[in-house]
Amino acid sequence: MTKSFLSGLLASLFLFSIVNTSFAQEAGEIHGLVLSKSQPLAYANILLYTSSDSLKPLHAIITDTTGRFSFKNLPLGNYFLHILLIGHQTEKRPISIDKLHKKIDLGNIHLTIIASELESIKIVGQKKLIEKTAEGFVVNASANLTQQGGTLTDLLRSTPTIVVDGEGAITLRGKTPLILINGRNSSFSNTDHIAANSIESIEIINNPSAKYDASAEAGIINIKLKKNKQNGFNSSVIIGSGYGARGRFNSSVLLNNKEGKFNVGLSYDNRFAGRERNMTGDRINYFIPESYSLKQTRADSRLESLQNMRLNIDFTPNEKNTIGFEALGNSSGEDNHELLTSTISTQLHAFNSKATRLSLENTKEKGAEFALNLERKYNDKRKSLTSSISSSFGNNKQHTDIISQALNQQNDFLGNEFLQQTKDNELTNVTNIKTDFTQPISEKSSFQTGYKSTIRHLDADFKSLDKINNSYVENPFTSNRFVFNEQIHAGYFQYSAFTGTKDNPLLKYDVGLRGEQVWNDGHVVTNDVSFKNNYFKLFPSASIAYFKEQDEFWKVNYSRRITRPGLGQLNPFIDITDSLNQHGGNANLKPELIQSFELGYNKDWSKVTIYSVLFYRHSTDAIRYFTMLKSNGVALSLPINFGNVSSYGLENIFTLKATRVYDFNVSLSTFQQHFNGAIEQENITKNVFCWYGKWINNINVWNNGKLQVSEIYNSPLATPQGSRVAIYYTDLGFQQKIGKGKGRVGLILSDLFNTQRNGYIQNTMDFSFTRKSKIDTRAILLTFAYSFGTTFKEKFMENKFQNE
């Protein structure tokens, strides 16, 4: 039996080898060179059909940067070749491969330019700054010329509807949004640790539906990192160098190869910058005569470093399944030298005391993230199944040497200097498990459901040491270790439908419900204090859109959201780094619940787009920071559930393509905030009007030379005890294509008039406090970018003026 089996197997292998050899001998090839005006035409589409009336090509490729293309291993037979490129007349040729003509060289193929079509491409075929979606809008990051070479924080400063203050705090409509990286929660959500050059787009969803995390009161900002999807090997490099108060340098490298079933990409970026900051603070303590006035000055000088590495691998075994793997690594550091001087005077303007505090701080942070994504498609394209699991890890270490010195009125030393050290070690982990399924019900309706689990862990160990008798001894009263664990398990369903036709709908609507179970517990190891906060809540959502025309619609939506206290807000440890202005967390914080409504209108014309949203939001158990003045003159800031906050306003985005040379985008948001709450037996009722706007101008100054000027203004932002100061500045960016479009040279001038400042003003019954700071935001940066490969020359460096 075995012998006959082996004989049959050998015979089969022999027969297969003969057939395979015969087939290889009969294989044919087709080669050619595509030209336009006698110049090689890169990226033209080459489609090969087996019959003249076939709707699906047998093979589809594009020409390389030299205009050449090649088909190999083709069976003998008759074919039809189509060569297409926007702005050119399609070329069609019949081709026959037989035993005598196996290698077909088509030679030079000249495509004819269609002048009228090419002219229209120059007008409407440009990369748009903003592209609207069913749930919000997407901002193409590469369309922003003024922030390349910076970080994600810098990029968000000039992104429509987003406000970034001088300290890097990000808000949407006055509240902190949920930031996702490639659609997932991540330990990499520190926007200062993501290079602007690595970002593909920024998606903004102001009022998310039930399929999104409920913890997004102000909405969601989803950061999509660059990822190539084109065939062949491609690479790009960007190098930038500049100067503010100190020197700056950044670079990015992207490699990618997509062949057959695999797509492999590898990227690396870095950023090194020296920064300077100066701060002044003035506080009046109304009821403390001996410590009536506090004046502070602070000068910071720091060196920042940032390095990121990213690997992505996609495997597509067939047309219906895709498996993706991502790995990210991050390393950052900061050396900061800070000198703080504090002077206290009496109510009669007499000198009380003076002290300096010199801090030599070194911070190092490392992180890693791994993600596995699965995507399943079906014959019905409306049906889909996606699953993912990701886990990110962070390790933040900080060491600070502190020298404190008391001074008299003549700035002479009083006594010996006091030496301290602080050591902070934070370990974080965020794990996500997520799956989403869409099932069509009819031609005009579908059902979505999904599950998501988010597991977070924090172990923050802070040690404060005082130098006593030539050795550093830990101070138990100023040291703290905080361990926090949280699990969020969520499930949702959503029904979506439309009336009319798919291409011309009349109404689109969806209704959803999300349920989230939360388990969390914290433990302050130092004081052996524990707390828990477990709860289950439901979050409904609904929306309906009416389409007057295909490019004009009205939309109404509603959602219930939640703001959970952050890890830093829950940690009850009191930071006394600045002994006169202390801050800490509150383990008794409850989540903030929000009801959100929107009415939106959109209209597109050939050269003008208008997008307006009227919104209302009401929050209960609102979480805000409050500052309380102690009898010893120390101000303590803590987050507290103080009451209710209502916000209503109007958000507008206006885009105009004025001429072929000039276009602009204006975004303007206005809103009223009403605070109603109480703290320390003090009732707080306050109404404040806020507004902010951005004006982004794009000018085609000459052939392949583009200029962008951004004007940003953020009015004072209300707080329960005061407001943040207004922020306004101008950024300028210029970009010139070189080397037949393969290269770019850019010049960036940030904060052109050096007006960007940050600060806040507080006014209470007990004190008034004004703090203002100035960072070296005015800087000049020169960048150079170049690409290598077949199809990727515009992808890495594209801007809004470029054709797709």
Side-chain angles (χ1 to χ4, degrees), residues 202-486:
I202 300 170
E203 182 181 13
I204 299 175
I205 305 172
N206 285 116
N207 204 6
S209 65
K211 70 178 181 179
Y212 293 99
D213 288 12
S215 57
E217 173 192 353
I220 292 173
I221 299 177
N222 180 33
I223 308 302
K224 184 179 179 182
L225 303 179
K226 287 183 176 178
K227 181 179 180 181
N228 179 41
K229 296 182 180 180
Q230 304 297 325
N231 290 320
F233 176 78
N234 309 278
S235 63
S236 293
V237 60
I238 293 179
I239 298 176
S241 181
Y243 192 83
R246 301 171 67 185
R248 304 177 184 184
F249 174 82
N250 72 88
S251 66
S252 299
V253 178
L254 179 59
L255 307 174
N256 191 270
N257 188 59
K258 182 179 180 182
E259 290 186 6
K261 299 178 180 180
F262 285 93
N263 181 19
V264 181
L266 181 66
S267 64
Y268 167 79
D269 59 73
N270 60 39
R271 182 174 183 270
F272 304 94
R275 304 299 298 269
E276 304 285 345
R277 178 175 64 172
N278 293 286
M279 182 274 292
T280 60
D282 293 284
R283 190 174 80 218
I284 301 298
N285 306 322
Y286 296 129
F287 304 110
I288 309 178
E290 293 303 313
S291 300
Y292 185 79
S293 171
L294 169 66
K295 292 185 179 295
Q296 292 183 307
T297 61
R298 190 172 76 188
D300 297 357
S301 177
R302 67 182 188 267
L303 177 64
E304 303 170 347
S305 63
L306 170 67
Q307 298 185 81
N308 293 304
M309 180 78 76
R310 179 169 175 250
L311 169 70
N312 65 272
I313 301 174
D314 293 333
F315 173 61
T316 307
N318 51 55
E319 295 180 353
K320 294 183 178 180
N321 297 287
T322 300
I323 303 172
F325 172 76
E326 284 185 79
L328 294 89
N330 169 278
S331 176
S332 63
E334 181 178 302
D335 292 325
N336 186 35
H337 291 186
E338 172 189 304
L339 179 62
L340 174 67
T341 302
S342 302
T343 304
I344 298 176
S345 303
T346 69
Q347 190 170 1
L348 299 177
H349 307 292
F351 176 80
N352 180 309
S353 63
K354 187 174 185 178
T356 61
R357 182 180 185 276
L358 176 63
S359 302
L360 307 176
E361 179 183 288
N362 177 264
T363 302
K364 294 186 182 299
E365 186 170 352
K366 293 183 179 180
E369 182 171 88
F370 305 93
L372 183 65
N373 307 301
L374 305 175
E375 182 179 0
R376 167 69 176 174
K377 299 179 181 179
Y378 298 87
N379 293 331
D380 188 337
K381 294 183 179 180
R382 297 174 301 159
K383 184 177 180 180
S384 65
L385 174 65
T386 59
S387 297
S388 66
I389 179 171
S390 65
S391 190
S392 57
F393 307 86
N395 184 358
N396 182 14
K397 294 183 177 181
Q398 185 181 85
H399 177 92
T400 306
D401 289 304
I402 302 171
I403 304 173
S404 300
Q405 178 65 60
L407 305 172
N408 62 19
Q409 194 170 4
Q410 288 73 37
N411 293 323
D412 298 323
F413 289 176
L414 293 178
N416 297 324
E417 60 185 14
F418 180 47
L419 303 181
Q420 294 173 290
Q421 286 184 349
T422 62
K423 297 180 180 180
D424 189 10
N425 187 19
E426 291 189 9
L427 300 175
T428 58
N429 174 234
V430 179
T431 298
N432 293 283
I433 302 172
K434 187 173 182 289
T435 185
D436 297 279
F437 177 70
T438 302
Q439 173 64 54
I441 300 175
S442 66
E443 291 185 358
K444 297 183 178 182
S445 63
S446 63
F447 176 80
Q448 287 181 290
T449 187
Y451 164 81
K452 182 177 182 180
S453 174
T454 301
I455 302 170
R456 295 194 296 172
H457 171 75
L458 169 70
D459 187 342
D461 189 4
F462 179 84
K463 288 183 171 61
S464 177
L465 304 98
D466 301 332
K467 191 172 186 180
I468 302 175
N469 296 328
N470 295 322
S471 62
Y472 284 94
V473 179
E474 182 176 342
N475 187 338
F477 299 102
T478 57
S479 298
N480 179 73
R481 185 182 176 193
F482 179 58
V483 179
F484 181 81
N485 295 285
E486 181 178 66

Side-chain angles (χ1 to χ4, degrees), residues 42-82:
Y43 318 119
N45 297 287
I46 315 296
L47 308 179
L48 188 66
Y49 297 88
T50 56
S51 63
S52 60
D53 59 352
S54 176
L55 297 178
K56 184 177 180 180
L58 178 65
H59 296 290
I61 61 174
I62 59 177
T63 58
D64 62 21
T65 54
T66 66
R68 300 185 181 277
F69 68 90
S70 176
F71 294 101
K72 296 182 180 181
N73 298 322
L74 296 174
L76 305 184
N78 296 320
Y79 298 93
F80 292 86
L81 189 72
H82 291 188

Side-chain angles (χ1 to χ4, degrees), residues 506-668:
L506 179 62
L507 293 175
K508 282 186 177 181
Y509 54 92
D510 61 67
V511 179
L513 181 66
R514 185 182 187 90
E516 293 191 351
Q517 173 65 55
V518 176
W519 289 288
N520 63 38
D521 63 83
H523 183 205
V524 183
V525 179
T526 307
N527 301 327
D528 195 23
V529 176
S530 298
F531 64 89
K532 291 185 178 181
N533 190 10
N534 304 329
Y535 52 90
F536 174 80
K537 295 188 181 297
L538 294 173
F539 302 95
S541 69
S543 73
I544 182 170
Y546 164 68
F547 290 80
K548 185 177 180 181
E549 301 288 345
Q550 191 173 6
D551 54 6
E552 182 180 10
F553 65 85
W554 293 85
K555 186 176 182 179
V556 179
N557 58 24
Y558 159 80
S559 67
R560 186 178 190 240
R561 319 302 299 170
I562 189 171
T563 295
R564 299 187 182 89
L567 299 181
Q569 293 176 317
L570 289 170
N571 187 351
F573 171 67
I574 303 300
D575 186 343
I576 60 172
T577 303
D578 180 354
S579 60
L580 299 175
N581 295 287
Q582 303 174 6
H583 60 89
N586 179 2
N588 298 315
L589 282 178
K590 297 182 292 184
E592 179 178 343
L593 295 173
I594 305 98
Q595 309 284 346
S596 179
F597 301 85
E598 283 188 359
L599 171 63
Y601 173 75
N602 182 87
K603 173 64 177 176
D604 294 332
W605 290 274
S606 60
K607 295 184 178 182
V608 179
T609 297
I610 294 177
Y611 176 67
S612 297
V613 178
L614 184 67
F615 63 88
Y616 173 80
R617 184 172 59 227
H618 180 73
S619 306
T620 57
D621 289 325
I623 301 173
R624 296 294 188 276
Y625 274 90
F626 279 83
T627 301
M628 295 162 283
L629 183 64
K630 298 180 180 180
S631 59
N632 60 358
V634 173
L636 175 63
S637 297
L638 297 174
I640 294 174
N641 296 106
F642 87 100
N644 304 327
V645 176
S646 296
S647 301
Y648 55 91
L650 181 64
E651 192 169 78
N652 302 278
I653 300 176
F654 177 79
T655 301
L656 172 64
K657 176 66 179 178
T659 67
R660 298 178 187 176
V661 175
Y662 174 66
D663 68 84
F664 67 86
N665 172 273
V666 173
S667 60
L668 179 66

Side-chain angles (χ1 to χ4, degrees), residues 2-189:
T2 303
K3 185 176 180 179
S4 61
F5 173 77
L6 291 174
S7 300
L9 179 60
L10 290 173
S12 300
L13 291 174
F14 178 70
L15 180 61
F16 174 79
S17 65
I18 294 176
V19 173
N20 190 54
T21 303
S22 300
F23 176 79
Q25 291 175 346
E26 297 298 328
E29 299 179 5
I30 301 175
H31 304 276
L33 172 62
V34 181
L35 304 173
S36 178
K37 290 186 176 181
S38 300
Q39 296 296 320
L41 197 58
Y43 318 119
N45 297 287
I46 315 296
L47 308 179
L48 188 66
Y49 297 88
T50 56
S51 63
S52 60
D53 59 352
S54 176
L55 297 178
K56 184 177 180 180
L58 178 65
H59 296 290
I61 61 174
I62 59 177
T63 58
D64 62 21
T65 54
T66 66
R68 300 185 181 277
F69 68 90
S70 176
F71 294 101
K72 296 182 180 181
N73 298 322
L74 296 174
L76 305 184
N78 296 320
Y79 298 93
F80 292 86
L81 189 72
H82 291 188
I83 305 174
L84 309 90
L85 185 65
I86 295 176
H88 296 78
Q89 185 173 333
T90 299
E91 179 76 12
K92 300 180 180 180
R93 295 194 180 187
I95 298 175
S96 179
I97 302 177
D98 53 36
K99 292 182 179 181
L100 297 178
H101 304 89
K102 296 178 183 177
K103 293 185 178 182
I104 308 297
D105 187 354
L106 299 177
N108 297 340
I109 304 173
H110 295 269
L111 295 190
T112 303
I113 295 177
I114 305 175
S116 59
E117 184 177 345
L118 193 60
E119 184 69 20
S120 66
I121 294 171
K122 291 180 181 178
I123 297 174
V124 301
Q126 299 170 344
K127 187 71 172 178
K128 294 182 179 180
L129 174 67
I130 296 176
E131 297 178 1
K132 290 179 291 297
T133 68
E135 297 164 314
F137 61 91
V138 174
V139 178
N140 294 298
S142 51
N144 189 321
L145 303 186
T146 62
Q147 301 300 337
Q148 299 302 316
T151 66
L152 172 57
T153 304
D154 299 318
L155 196 60
L156 292 175
R157 292 184 195 277
S158 51
T159 298
T161 74
I162 296 177
V163 173
V164 182
D165 68 18
E167 300 297 328
I170 300 165
T171 56
L172 272 173
R173 299 176 181 173
K175 287 291 291 179
T176 302
L178 173 65
I179 295 179
L180 303 178
I181 307 298
N182 285 342
R184 59 179 181 264
N185 307 86
S186 172
S187 295
F188 281 72
S189 58

